[in-house]
Amino acid sequence: MADSLLVALAGGTIGALITAVIGYAANVKVVRRQAENARELQRRQTAHELDLERMRIQHALTTQQAAENHQRELERARATAERHQRFLRFRGVGKAWLRELHLVVQQLDEGEQVAPDAFDAQFSALAREADEASDALLSDSIWVASADDLSAATPPLFGALAEATRQVRAAVGNNVAGQTHGVPQPARDAVHSAAAARDQFRLTLLDLLAAEGNQLRRI
């Protein structure tokens, strides 16, 4: 009887121990599985965050590159506009100079008197403006030839304008002095030559406007 009781107690104890071991093992597996799931979740979250960071960096680089490209385009457009303005300024000076010469010739032909002092002041101002405009073209690697520069690509515009101005100025003085009336033919020819030189110069200037490069060119 006692032996049976001991056997029963031992069996119960062993059964409880087995049950406990099985339960513990099951809990260990659950804990391990939970830990593995947590690690996998952390890995995925880390990978996702890295992907997001890479995307943010790429977006930032793309945005920066686009901004830099836009800035370069703006600078090129600004430089081109400024270059056009320098060309147009010089072209405008030559046009104004010839226009004033033609106006003086017309006034003399109509018998009007032109004050020599006013003539000198006006054309001295035009000459100064032309010098400033030609100096500005140096930034475009364009050297406007002087009157005695035989290496120029076109007939020296300044030389032609200066000669026409000298001839017309002489006619102005002679008219005031009563020595002659109107404009003598040499003065008319000089104005015509200046106009032809300007036309040729204008065509050369337009060609250079579309040219690229930094090589110094004489015109």
Side-chain angles (χ1 to χ4, degrees):
M1 181 82 178
D3 291 339
S4 298
L5 181 60
L6 289 173
V7 171
L9 289 173
T13 301
I14 293 172
L17 287 173
I18 293 174
T19 301
V21 170
I22 293 173
Y24 175 78
N27 288 334
V28 169
K29 289 182 180 180
V30 171
V31 171
R32 184 181 295 122
R33 188 177 300 111
Q34 290 176 343
E36 290 175 353
N37 290 340
R39 285 195 297 270
E40 178 64 19
L41 181 62
Q42 180 63 37
R43 186 191 66 78
R44 292 181 179 180
Q45 183 176 357
T46 301
H48 180 65
E49 291 175 353
L50 288 175
D51 288 340
L52 289 177
E53 184 63 21
R54 281 194 292 268
M55 291 175 61
R56 283 193 293 268
I57 293 174
Q58 184 62 40
H59 178 70
L61 290 175
T62 302
T63 302
Q64 180 181 358
Q65 185 177 9
E68 291 174 353
N69 290 339
H70 180 63
Q71 184 62 31
R72 282 193 291 269
E73 289 297 327
L74 288 178
E75 291 173 357
R76 279 195 291 267
R78 187 182 303 110
T80 299
E82 292 173 353
R83 185 169 186 251
H84 288 184
Q85 287 300 317
R86 288 190 291 269
F87 275 66
L88 292 175
R89 180 189 178 192
F90 188 86
R91 180 182 175 186
V93 172
K95 182 178 181 180
W97 196 321
L98 274 173
R99 183 179 61 246
E100 293 303 322
L101 284 174
H102 283 297
L103 179 60
V104 172
V105 169
Q106 181 180 350
Q107 289 175 316
L108 294 178
D109 283 341
E110 293 175 354
E112 298 181 22
Q113 295 291 322
V114 177
D117 291 344
F119 181 96
D120 293 342
Q122 183 176 17
F123 284 92
S124 293
L126 284 170
R128 286 193 300 271
E129 189 174 352
D131 286 340
E132 293 173 359
S134 63
D135 289 344
L137 288 179
L138 284 173
S139 61
D140 300 301
S141 301
I142 295 175
W143 181 4
V144 180
S146 59
D148 57 353
D149 191 347
L150 300 180
S151 63
T154 61
L157 177 61
F158 281 163
L161 287 171
E163 177 60 20
T165 303
R166 187 185 67 81
Q167 292 275 3
V168 174
R169 174 63 175 80
V172 168
N174 291 335
N175 274 258
V176 171
Q179 297 176 0
T180 59
H181 297 284
V183 181
Q185 191 60 41
R188 296 180 189 277
D189 292 342
V191 173
H192 178 75
S193 296
R198 179 184 173 274
D199 288 341
Q200 182 60 44
F201 185 90
R202 181 175 59 83
L203 293 176
T204 303
L205 202 61
L206 290 175
D207 290 338
L208 291 176
L209 189 60
E212 298 294 338
N214 296 319
Q215 183 180 359
L216 183 64
R217 292 152 290 183
R218 294 182 179 183
I219 60 173

